[in-house]
Amino acid sequence: MNRKKLQKLTDNLTKNCKHFNKFEVNCLIKVFYNLVGDVPERSVAVVGLDRNAFRNILHVTFGMTDDMIMDRVFRGFDKDNDGCVNVSEWINGLSVFLRGSLEEKMKYCFEVFDLNGDGFISKEEMFHMLKNSLLKQPSEEDPDEGIKDLVEITLKKMDHDHDGKLSFADYEKAVREETLLLEAFGPCLPDPKSQMEFENQVFNDPTDFNDM
Amino acid sequence: MKEDSMALHILNKISTGDDPENEIKMKIAILLKQLDLHLLNHSLKYISLQINLNPKTVKKDIELLQRFSGKGEQTVLESIEYTSDYEFSNGCRAPPWRQMYGEICYVLVKPHDVEAFCITCSVEGVFLNGGKTDEEGDIDYERKGEVYKDLVTFLKEKSAVFSENMSKQEITFNEEQKNQIEEVLTKEEAAVPQKSISSPDRLKKNHINFVKTQMSKRLEPSLNWRAKVDFKEQKNLTKDSQEEKHGGKVEKSRTSISHGKVQLRKSVDKIEETISESSSESEEDEEQPDHRQEANADLPSEYWQIQKLVKYLKGGNQTATVIALCSMKDFNLAQETCQLAIRDVGGLEVLINLLDTDEVKCKIGSLKILKEISHNPQIRRNIVDLGGLPIMVNILDSPYKSLKCLAAETIANVAKFKRARRAVRQHGGITKLVALLDCAQNATEPAQSSLYETRDVEVARCGALALWSCSKSYSNKEAIRKAGGIPLLARLLKTSHENMLIPVVGTLQECASEENYRAAIKAERIIENLVKNLNSENEQLQEHCAMAIYQCAEDEETRDLVRLHGGLKPLASLLNNTKNKELLAAVTGAIWKCSISKENVIKFREYKAIETLVGLLTDQPEEVLVNVVGALGECCQEHENRVIVRRCGGIQPLVNLLVGINQALLVNVTKAVGACAVEPENMAIIDRLDGVRLLWSLLKNPHPDVKASAAWALCPCIENAKDAGEMVRSFVGGLELVVNLLKSDNKEVLASVCAAITNIAKDQENLAVITDHGVVPLLSKLANTNNDNLRRHLAEAVSRCCMWGRNRVAFGEHRAVAPLVRYLKSNDTNVHRATAQALYQLSEDADNCITMHENGAVKLLLDMVGSPDQELQEAAAGCISNIRRLALATEKARYT
């Protein structure tokens, strides 16, 4: 990619981006193209990170382990649902992912947790997300009982309108009361340590970034 | 018994001294006594197992059974009788040659349901014998059945009806037995004629007992008392129970002693508190014993819910843990049930373990809970026991501010007792906490960008909060200072947030008990800000500021600073807030210390503070009174204020306070009364209220400070009273008391008593009396001292006492002259003057002149003649002239 084009892309993306300055955007673009690898200049195919590549980044760089959550994060990034994260989705996604305000993060997280995208986190969805969260104890008769109980506890805490599912309003209220509940159903944001490492690396020497 | 009274005698003997060594002896004696008792009790337990029946118990049993025997369905037996009516002096009824076998008596029993039988009661137990052989009443002594441990057991075995009826009566019976035995015992022990209790009364008593103790009694009907009251050991037992009694007494007296000590310590504490220290190393939290919840007690529903949550904490990943933590936080963590439930289900361990992980969210959640539950003293202790403090101290280094804050706040809660404070220090917590104070430097703070961020001011506040808790230990105060905490605290003091100011001032106030701090506080211009915050709306803040001023105002420069920054007016106006006693105590304390400076007193008078103070002399707690009286004592050094105090009717309440027991208060009251007595009009009032007698009786107070202060106060009283001589003589034994105080080993007491003697000796008659009481040898004995204050008053007393009889000669004989000459080498003019006067008086005696001359007094006195002090000049000159005259006379005698 030539410099002029890069310059233009950077300017473009910086305009729409709240949390990164021009330099940072520039770095992130470089990282993106590093990750994507060499793409023919006039290729028709969509340039971007596919699901696997993206998940790999999430896992290696940000230490995420939960497959389902990683899938959902990918979906959160991939706004146009075309199966790959392009450069603008990359920048915008990272903007929230790394530096989003509480409001942005809440919106992002809620989308991640709302598995079927119906605007509510239902009991089933919760169960689904929490099912691996407890150590299975062999003595337990019903291994799922603990999870069910955990779901009930969560609902009791967060379901303010008592309709048996979490609306965004429920979620928002609970998070504003207790920020720890932002990632209530699984880590979908970088933990501060890996975030710091990532930023240090990327903004100091973008060409060096290599997660593979 | 003898032994016991001996022990008591020893205790008595020891306790009559008031020196600390005796106290230790006393303690040891008591401890030995306790050990002795303990050993006795312990061995009794074993001995009593081997004991069997004895004549008395058997007799009681039989007597009791007799009372429940007779015709009818309800009785236990038809009849029970001895075979022989004759009772030997040892209580046995068996013939002497059978007693050798341990047999006590023989009983004929006729139960309801079976044949009558004859029983042998022996030391080993009760068994069936061969029965009466013939009409003569001879008994076949051979054992025919098993041995039972007592009569009741035996009969239960043999007769069904007995056992059935017995169970109905059992309780009464047993209680009866017990009571009777107890009565007998008390009778024996006390050797007091037993009061005959009418039997309905007794039954009623039994009934009550029955109701009270039914369950436990039914389970073990007789073992208790039997094991206690038995055979041979009867003697032992009697002794023992007496011992127990005495032991009880000793213990009681010990508790009362220790009670006294507690009081003493309390008041010592109080003195410390009021004089210089705030609370260093004081333990707010007594380490109390745990009280775990009973396993089977009814547990509240929260208990089970918390148990479940703790299970998820243990077995959950980060997500589940966070959910469980958040849910746990929703319980009422201020409630003890929940706090203890978390601990009892093993939650504390888990919470503390979480702090050691890398999960920031888990740490935050865990600390949020620990912060709340650590308000409970038991939980604090558990946290320390589980090693929570070092981990929290480490968290203080975390890059996440909210985490730091929470850790500091939790430390603030936990470090409320000594061990915890030490742990914080030993793990380097103080330095880290001080570093937190440094956070609030940059005025421009970044917006809260991350989940884990919080405002810098908040971090500093939490740091100050933790330091406040920690600053109650002396070593921590030092550590804070060494870590450079004072300038940081000074800077934080400039902010205007009350949340911040309270812990900051609180810390300063704690630390101000140390000299180093007071100097630093002065240097850092902290006083100015303290004064400013006196005007705050927040009473707690005002209190701490006043308290800090109180601590710092020991120093003269600081007192001036308080005035220069306009702190006296708010202090005076805060006196009107009489509802908040803590605040009032702090404010009056600050006023007391500030009024040590004369300029401040003038200001206080301007602000009408003296009138208000007089108004506070009644109906206030002691902490306030001590300070109020202290302040008045300082104010009354001036004529105008003495008049004001009189006009406002302050003398009566002051004199009334002389009968108190609080030593800090007594020291101040005596001083205040003494100050007032300088005014003859005030003195008239004090005299009318019998204040002098009260002061005089305080000379008997065990505390040397009180003694000294009372003696000082007596001086102006004697000086200004009408008919002082007569008044002094009217106190029976008073003069002897004063003279004997010269045997004290406290310099201040000695100086004050010398001053009092100087005043007393102005009256010839009294001087005669104290001379008879041996004042001269006692004064002479004190002469070898280096204490200038004592020297001065001693010399004055000597010069006064010379005015009677052959006292001059007596001082010489008791070798008081040579040491007095050495006083002239002191640097204190007051000592010079007093000494020169004493020497002048003494030089009227030829032998003394020789001694003086030998000790080189003339040269020293010659220097004194050149002094600007006229009295000193005169006395020195007079003395020299006496010595010279003697020399001339000798020469003359030689040559003529």
Side-chain angles (χ1 to χ4, degrees):
Chain A
M1 187 185 284
N2 62 39
R3 183 184 285 184
K4 203 173 165 192
K5 207 170 169 191
L6 181 67
Q7 186 71 36
K8 202 178 157 202
L9 186 63
T10 309
D11 286 346
N12 238 343
L13 288 173
T14 311
K15 234 181 270 165
N16 298 326
C17 182
K18 269 210 278 196
H19 301 295
F20 295 126
N21 60 28
K22 197 169 162 185
F23 168 75
E24 287 165 338
V25 170
N26 196 344
C27 294
L28 287 172
I29 290 172
K30 279 180 193 157
V31 168
F32 179 79
Y33 283 109
N34 253 353
L35 289 170
V36 174
D38 280 337
V39 183
E41 192 80 354
R42 302 197 188 286
S43 164
V44 197
V46 194
V47 177
L49 297 160
D50 64 5
R51 185 180 292 258
N52 274 336
F54 188 77
R55 276 174 52 159
N56 202 9
I57 297 170
L58 287 181
H59 181 67
V60 176
T61 312
F62 297 111
M64 290 191 187
T65 46
D66 189 328
D67 284 336
M68 183 173 46
I69 297 283
M70 285 196 282
D71 266 353
R72 295 296 305 162
V73 174
F74 174 74
R75 289 201 169 243
F77 271 70
D78 181 18
K79 293 287 181 203
D80 57 7
N81 269 329
D82 62 351
C84 80
V85 172
N86 63 28
V87 68
S88 105
E89 283 167 350
W90 168 252
I91 301 289
N92 288 330
L94 282 180
S95 158
V96 175
F97 192 68
L98 295 176
R99 302 206 175 162
S101 65
L102 186 63
E103 286 72 22
E104 288 171 317
K105 281 182 174 167
M106 280 196 287
K107 201 158 160 283
Y108 159 83
C109 289
F110 189 82
E111 277 168 18
V112 169
F113 296 143
D114 179 12
L115 300 180
N116 59 7
D118 65 350
F120 291 101
I121 305 174
S122 67
K123 270 192 193 183
E124 290 71 29
E125 286 168 327
M126 286 183 211
F127 182 85
H128 204 56
M129 289 182 284
L130 293 177
K131 73 176 171 222
N132 294 321
S133 68
L134 286 180
L135 255 158
K136 292 273 185 306
Q137 261 145 14
S139 59
E140 302 264 326
E141 288 161 23
D142 181 4
D144 289 341
E145 201 187 296
I147 313 287
K148 280 180 193 153
D149 193 34
L150 210 52
V151 170
E152 288 307 320
I153 290 172
T154 321
L155 269 181
K156 192 177 153 209
K157 176 129 189 68
M158 301 176 77
D159 181 18
H160 296 283
D161 54 11
H162 306 293
D163 58 356
K165 54 189 180 181
L166 292 189
S167 62
F168 182 71
D170 285 334
Y171 173 81
E172 186 182 8
K173 187 160 182 246
V175 175
R176 286 201 191 278
E177 273 170 21
E178 176 51 81
T179 352
L180 290 177
L181 289 172
L182 182 64
E183 295 171 82
F185 304 104
C188 52
L189 288 167
D191 71 283
K193 202 171 142 211
S194 47
Q195 171 180 359
M196 209 150 39
E197 279 170 15
F198 174 76
E199 289 193 19
N200 279 341
Q201 204 173 7
V202 169
F203 300 137
N204 284 338
D205 192 1
T207 48
D208 210 33
F209 181 78
N210 193 349
D211 63 314
M212 311 289 174
Chain B
M1 195 134 181
K2 207 185 253 169
E3 208 182 288
D4 237 288
S5 54
M6 231 168 74
L8 277 180
H9 182 67
I10 292 170
L11 282 178
N12 255 335
K13 221 167 76 186
I14 295 173
S15 64
T16 45
D18 60 346
D19 92 24
E21 202 176 287
N22 278 342
E23 209 177 292
I24 293 165
K25 276 186 201 161
M26 176 89 148
K27 269 191 202 154
I28 294 173
I30 289 167
L31 279 174
L32 284 173
K33 189 86 198 83
Q34 275 180 323
L35 177 69
D36 192 23
L37 244 174
H38 180 75
L39 288 174
L40 269 171
N41 281 338
H42 199 66
S43 49
L44 184 67
K45 230 186 265 169
Y46 288 102
I47 298 167
S48 59
L49 291 178
Q50 301 156 12
I51 307 163
N52 291 306
L53 298 180
N54 69 18
K56 279 208 179 71
T57 47
V58 171
K59 193 176 164 192
K60 291 300 149 206
D61 273 11
I62 292 169
E63 266 176 24
L64 270 167
L65 285 170
Q66 275 172 341
R67 286 182 42 193
F68 291 103
S69 302
K71 301 281 174 208
E73 296 290 310
Q74 296 303 312
T75 56
V76 292
L77 296 166
E78 262 184 51
S79 69
I80 173 167
E81 286 165 4
Y82 292 109
T83 52
S84 148
D85 285 332
Y86 181 73
E87 190 182 336
F88 289 88
S89 57
N90 59 1
C92 295
R93 284 165 197 261
W97 45 279
R98 289 305 299 178
Q99 285 184 25
M100 276 170 58
Y101 298 99
E103 288 176 7
I104 296 164
C105 62
Y106 311 98
V107 194
L108 277 172
V109 181
K110 173 79 189 85
H112 286 296
D113 48 347
V114 285
E115 280 287 321
F117 35 68
C118 189
I119 306 167
T120 303
C121 299
S122 83
V123 174
E124 278 94 21
V126 175
F127 55 84
L128 191 66
N129 58 32
K132 282 201 171 177
T133 43
D134 53 40
E135 290 311 306
E136 268 100 67
D138 276 344
I139 293 166
D140 180 5
Y141 296 115
E142 208 50 47
R143 185 155 73 88
K144 293 288 188 303
E146 274 187 58
V147 180
Y148 293 89
K149 76 176 167 70
D150 63 37
L151 205 54
V152 176
T153 332
F154 176 86
L155 289 170
K156 268 187 184 170
E157 198 61 34
K158 296 288 177 194
S159 156
V161 174
F162 174 84
S163 131
E164 189 186 315
N165 285 349
M166 193 63 190
S167 62
K168 291 179 197 156
Q169 306 260 9
E170 184 135 84
I171 310 301
T172 359
F173 180 67
N174 273 318
E175 287 298 334
E176 197 86 42
Q177 273 175 321
K178 205 168 160 186
N179 279 344
Q180 283 209 342
I181 285 155
E182 273 165 13
E183 272 160 29
V184 169
L185 276 177
T186 42
K187 190 172 156 190
E188 273 174 16
E189 280 169 27
V192 188
Q194 184 191 351
K195 270 187 216 162
S196 58
I197 303 167
S198 58
S199 80
D201 259 359
R202 188 181 296 177
L203 284 173
K204 213 167 36 188
K205 199 163 120 200
N206 283 335
H207 187 66
I208 295 164
N209 278 345
F210 167 67
V211 176
K212 254 195 264 176
T213 57
Q214 43 181 342
M215 277 325 286
S216 56
K217 282 294 178 255
R218 201 182 290 272
L219 291 170
E220 266 210 286
S222 60
L223 280 175
N224 274 345
W225 63 269
R226 197 153 304 252
K228 253 190 186 167
V229 193
D230 248 312
F231 190 46
K232 293 174 205 158
E233 296 306 312
Q234 181 73 33
K235 226 163 62 184
N236 243 355
L237 177 84
T238 326
K239 202 167 110 189
D240 185 74
S241 53
Q242 270 176 351
E243 215 133 356
E244 229 160 30
K245 253 189 168 175
H246 282 302
K249 238 183 257 165
V250 170
E251 211 160 56
K252 231 197 215 157
S253 64
R254 194 183 62 116
T255 46
S256 70
I257 287 164
S258 59
H259 190 71
K261 227 171 37 204
V262 167
Q263 267 187 353
L264 202 123
R265 210 173 53 200
K266 229 168 143 185
S267 43
V268 168
D269 277 352
K270 227 171 247 166
I271 289 176
E272 267 182 2
E273 229 168 85
T274 47
I275 291 174
S276 71
E277 300 249 314
S278 57
S279 58
S280 63
E281 300 283 349
S282 71
E283 199 86 338
E284 295 81 36
D285 279 7
E286 282 302 319
E287 299 212 1
Q288 323 148 324
D290 266 8
H291 72 90
R292 301 246 165 203
Q293 276 166 357
E294 288 286 325
N296 294 325
D298 272 340
L299 293 168
S301 65
E302 289 99 330
Y303 183 88
W304 304 112
Q305 291 167 23
I306 287 174
Q307 189 178 40
K308 201 172 59 184
L309 289 175
V310 169
K311 200 178 80 190
Y312 297 145
L313 282 186
K314 281 182 189 160
N317 68 1
Q318 187 203 2
T319 312
T321 304
V322 170
I323 292 174
L325 286 172
C326 291
S327 170
M328 196 181 273
K329 234 189 73 200
D330 284 349
F331 283 92
N332 183 2
L333 294 178
Q335 203 184 325
E336 197 176 34
T337 344
C338 294
Q339 297 166 343
L340 297 184
I342 293 178
R343 179 191 68 185
D344 292 345
V345 300
L348 274 184
E349 288 89 334
V350 185
L351 289 172
I352 289 172
N353 276 343
L354 283 175
L355 297 183
D356 229 355
T357 61
D358 276 339
E359 296 296 344
V360 184
K361 276 185 289 189
C362 295
K363 286 192 203 177
I364 290 180
S366 166
L367 279 174
K368 276 181 176 171
I369 291 167
L370 286 173
K371 184 181 99 181
E372 295 302 324
I373 61 176
S374 56
H375 286 292
N376 181 319
Q378 292 184 53
I379 301 281
R380 281 173 209 158
R381 201 148 57 79
N382 296 132
I383 292 178
V384 178
D385 290 339
L386 291 169
L389 278 176
I391 305 178
M392 286 190 254
V393 167
N394 280 337
I395 293 181
L396 294 177
D397 282 336
S398 154
Y400 312 114
K401 289 180 187 163
S402 57
L403 205 46
K404 284 190 204 179
C405 277
L406 286 165
E409 275 181 293
T410 316
I411 290 175
N413 286 339
V414 175
K416 291 258 160 72
F417 63 107
K418 206 167 168 180
R419 196 153 55 89
R421 289 194 282 263
R422 197 188 319 132
V424 173
R425 181 178 67 249
Q426 283 168 350
H427 291 93
I430 301 290
T431 329
K432 292 179 187 178
L433 288 170
V434 169
L436 294 190
L437 299 183
D438 208 8
C439 282
Q441 270 173 316
N442 35 344
T444 55
E445 292 188 18
Q448 202 164 336
S449 61
S450 146
L451 276 179
Y452 313 111
E453 288 304 300
T454 177
R455 288 166 55 230
D456 283 328
V457 182
E458 184 64 13
V459 178
R461 186 187 73 86
C462 296
L465 214 52
L467 283 176
W468 187 14
S469 289
C470 291
S471 65
K472 292 189 169 80
S473 299
Y474 169 75
S475 316
N476 283 352
K477 292 177 195 179
E478 266 312 286
I480 295 173
R481 195 177 58 85
K482 284 195 185 126
I486 304 174
L488 293 171
L489 286 169
R491 196 168 60 204
L492 291 177
L493 201 55
K494 295 193 179 95
T495 61
S496 49
H497 311 287
E498 275 168 16
N499 290 345
M500 174 74 94
L501 287 170
I502 290 173
V504 168
V505 178
T507 313
L508 284 172
Q509 172 235 308
E510 286 297 342
C511 294
S513 62
E514 302 306 313
E515 182 62 46
N516 288 337
Y517 269 92
R518 292 200 286 268
I521 284 173
K522 205 163 53 181
E524 297 281 348
R525 304 171 162 276
I526 286 175
I527 299 292
E528 184 182 344
N529 286 304
L530 289 177
V531 167
K532 195 181 82 193
N533 287 316
L534 275 179
N535 295 314
S536 143
E537 293 286 296
N538 185 312
E539 288 190 1
Q540 205 191 350
L541 183 55
Q542 289 174 332
E543 182 194 328
H544 291 308
C545 286
M547 201 67 193
I549 291 176
Y550 161 63
Q551 302 262 20
C552 295
E554 290 281 331
D555 172 79
E556 192 182 343
E557 214 176 310
T558 309
R559 293 196 287 268
D560 292 341
L561 282 174
V562 174
R563 183 182 63 251
L564 293 176
H565 292 301
L568 300 180
K569 191 165 191 179
L571 280 176
S573 62
L574 278 172
L575 278 181
N576 296 317
N577 181 352
T578 53
K579 276 191 213 101
N580 183 339
K581 296 300 177 197
E582 280 90 18
L583 175 61
L584 192 58
V587 169
T588 48
I591 290 181
W592 170 20
K593 293 298 172 188
C594 286
S595 58
I596 295 174
S597 293
K598 280 219 167 66
E599 294 89 336
N600 290 356
V601 174
I602 295 169
K603 285 280 178 192
F604 281 135
R605 192 165 61 230
E606 249 172 57
Y607 302 135
K608 308 265 178 227
I610 292 158
E611 287 87 337
T612 324
L613 283 172
V614 170
L616 291 174
L617 281 174
T618 42
D619 298 331
Q620 296 297 335
E622 278 186 354
E623 303 83 66
V624 177
L625 280 177
V626 170
N627 295 340
V628 169
V629 175
L632 285 176
E634 293 301 337
C635 294
C636 285
Q637 304 296 330
E638 283 181 48
H639 169 75
E640 290 94 329
N641 296 338
R642 291 194 285 264
V643 175
I644 293 176
V645 170
R646 183 178 68 235
R647 251 198 354 245
C648 300
I651 294 186
Q652 169 122 34
L654 277 175
V655 172
N656 288 347
L657 287 174
L658 284 173
V659 294
I661 44 163
N662 180 325
Q663 274 142 1
L665 182 56
L666 282 177
V667 169
N668 286 354
V669 174
T670 44
K671 185 171 182 194
V673 171
C676 288
V678 173
E679 215 67 27
E681 276 176 73
N682 291 359
M683 189 51 223
I685 301 175
I686 295 172
D687 200 11
R688 204 173 60 230
L689 295 167
D690 219 4
V692 184
R693 183 185 299 276
L694 293 172
L695 279 175
W696 210 288
S697 60
L698 285 175
L699 293 176
K700 284 184 269 189
N701 192 292
H703 203 278
D705 289 353
V706 178
K707 274 185 204 163
S709 186
W712 286 122
L714 280 173
C715 299
C717 288
I718 298 171
E719 215 167 323
N720 293 304
K722 277 183 196 158
D723 290 331
E726 193 52 49
M727 178 186 76
V728 169
R729 274 192 296 283
S730 72
F731 303 133
V732 180
L735 289 172
E736 191 178 359
L737 175 66
V738 172
V739 172
N740 280 333
L741 279 177
L742 288 174
K743 293 171 187 159
S744 161
D745 45 12
N746 182 302
K747 291 279 186 298
E748 187 65 21
V749 172
L750 290 174
S752 63
V753 170
C754 285
I757 285 177
T758 312
N759 281 298
I760 291 168
K762 284 176 187 162
D763 180 274
Q764 285 292 311
E765 215 170 310
N766 289 336
L767 177 54
V769 175
I770 58 173
T771 308
D772 287 348
H773 284 306
V775 76
V776 174
L778 284 170
L779 286 174
S780 306
K781 210 181 268 176
L782 295 174
N784 280 308
T785 178
N786 293 323
N787 183 310
D788 274 345
N789 193 27
L790 176 54
R791 281 176 164 183
R792 171 185 170 192
H793 293 287
L794 179 62
E796 279 172 3
V798 168
S799 89
R800 272 290 164 194
C801 289
C802 283
M803 314 278 194
W804 180 256
R806 55 181 303 278
N807 280 359
R808 286 188 184 89
V809 184
F811 277 119
E813 284 163 4
H814 285 98
R815 301 172 191 288
V817 178
L820 274 172
V821 172
R822 282 199 293 279
Y823 290 5
L824 293 175
K825 290 176 190 160
S826 150
N827 295 321
D828 189 338
T829 329
N830 288 323
V831 177
H832 294 163
R833 191 189 316 118
T835 311
Q837 280 165 343
L839 290 176
Y840 172 55
Q841 287 295 333
L842 290 167
S843 64
E844 304 273 314
D845 175 66
D847 287 331
N848 289 345
C849 285
I850 296 167
T851 320
M852 285 178 215
H853 190 262
E854 279 169 359
N855 283 283
V858 176
K859 187 174 180 304
L860 292 164
L861 284 170
L862 276 173
D863 291 341
M864 303 288 162
V865 176
S867 152
D869 187 316
Q870 215 162 14
E871 278 176 58
L872 174 55
Q873 268 178 20
E874 263 173 47
C879 187
I880 293 170
S881 99
N882 279 340
I883 295 171
R884 184 73 205 134
R885 229 173 277 154
L886 178 69
L888 284 174
T890 334
E891 261 170 52
K892 212 169 165 187
R894 194 178 295 161
Y895 295 113
T896 51

